[in-house]
Amino acid sequence: MAVTIKSAREIDLMREAGRLLEKVHNELGQAIQPGMSTLEIDRLGEKLIRGYGCIPNFLNYNGYPASICVSVNDEVVHGIPRADRILQEGDIVSLDAGLIYKGYHSDAARTYGVGKISPEAQKLIDETRNSFFEGIKMAKDGNHLYDISNAIDAYISKFGYGIVRDLVGHGIGTQLHEDPQIPNFAQRRRGLKLRAGMTLAVEPMINMGRCDVAWMDDDWTVVSDDGSLSAHYENTILITDGEPEILTLS
């Protein structure tokens, strides 16, 4: 496993990639409303990314046909935007987006409520986000990779939610997906030792029901197997000598 340690120059470029992606997410989050198609979200996202002088890193990645992954309700990740997929009041929608700035990638995901949503759906969104922050408390130089995984699991499992096991977080840099893989569920081994200069995309994907998922016929969209709601929260982070720096959240 070759995990890259970024130089000061590379970290500066990744900071800017993260800062710009945060702006894209903030604008997309404000735009979401009932009656909007998932394709409209994708087109707006691509326009914003290109407007900042960046490249959407998801577009055509392994054949993925859009710039923003838009996943609704029981869709966990990789939902393909469509003109006929219309957001309804009470839906929840996960947006996974990334961009390339001067050769360096950023990656982040957020789950939003569409209009007024149920308290149960809001709790799922909130606790998925909280589990990310519990995980990155362990993301420090000298700790081990799976300390992050174990902290996410310890936090989220007390709610009875299912932690998706078929999809994990990852390293990031000049490639969208680099080593190491970062599970969101408890591990028996410790994993590699974290070192300052590592950049990671930590991304809990949490189902309200069981952890099991299935792939739809489009070969991209991943759904909860039991049809339960799913939430996703992700940021690109930098391991430092002290607390981790979140590059996609100021």
Side-chain angles (χ1 to χ4, degrees), residues 62-240:
N62 292 336
Y64 184 75
S67 299
I68 314 292
C69 296
V70 188
S71 307
V72 184
N73 293 333
D74 66 330
E75 296 171 355
V76 181
V77 284
H78 305 158
I80 296 176
R82 303 196 324 248
D84 62 349
R85 187 71 194 270
I86 307 300
L87 298 180
Q88 310 289 334
E89 181 97 15
D91 285 343
I92 67 171
V93 56
S94 297
L95 306 184
D96 193 356
L99 57 78
I100 306 169
Y101 172 77
K102 295 186 177 178
Y104 285 82
H105 291 255
S106 55
D107 189 6
R110 309 279 187 264
T111 301
Y112 301 97
V114 181
K116 184 172 173 54
I117 63 173
S118 71
E120 295 80 13
Q122 188 62 58
K123 183 174 177 61
L124 175 69
I125 292 171
D126 292 344
E127 301 304 359
T128 299
R129 184 180 188 275
N130 290 342
S131 74
F132 164 86
F133 286 99
E134 287 299 311
I136 68 161
K137 287 178 182 176
M138 308 307 294
K140 296 180 181 179
D141 182 273
N143 280 1
H144 287 78
L145 182 69
Y146 296 152
D147 294 338
I148 300 172
S149 309
N150 295 341
I152 292 171
D153 188 306
Y155 180 82
I156 211 73
S157 55
K158 63 190 177 207
F159 299 103
Y161 296 147
I163 303 170
V164 173
R165 303 173 84 86
D166 293 55
L167 302 146
V168 297
H170 52 91
I172 186 170
T174 56
Q175 304 292 320
L176 175 57
H177 292 110
E178 298 183 354
D179 284 336
Q181 293 197 340
I182 311 166
N184 298 302
F185 49 94
Q187 303 292 303
R188 288 184 180 160
R189 297 192 175 118
R190 301 184 75 189
L192 64 87
K193 187 171 277 193
L194 298 173
R195 289 175 54 198
M198 290 179 176
T199 44
L200 309 173
V202 178
E203 51 175 324
M205 290 157 271
I206 308 298
N207 296 341
M208 194 178 280
R210 296 196 314 272
C211 66
D212 308 343
V213 298
W215 269 255
M216 301 299 283
D217 290 341
D218 61 21
D219 291 331
W220 278 106
T221 309
V222 181
V223 297
S224 63
D225 203 36
D226 60 6
S228 63
L229 294 179
S230 188
H232 185 195
Y233 189 81
E234 174 186 23
N235 283 300
T236 300
I237 70 166
L238 168 69
I239 306 297
T240 74

Side-chain angles (χ1 to χ4, degrees), residues 3-7 10 195-198:
V3 180
T4 59
I5 304 294
K6 308 304 189 292
S7 68
E10 290 179 303
R195 289 175 54 198
M198 290 179 176

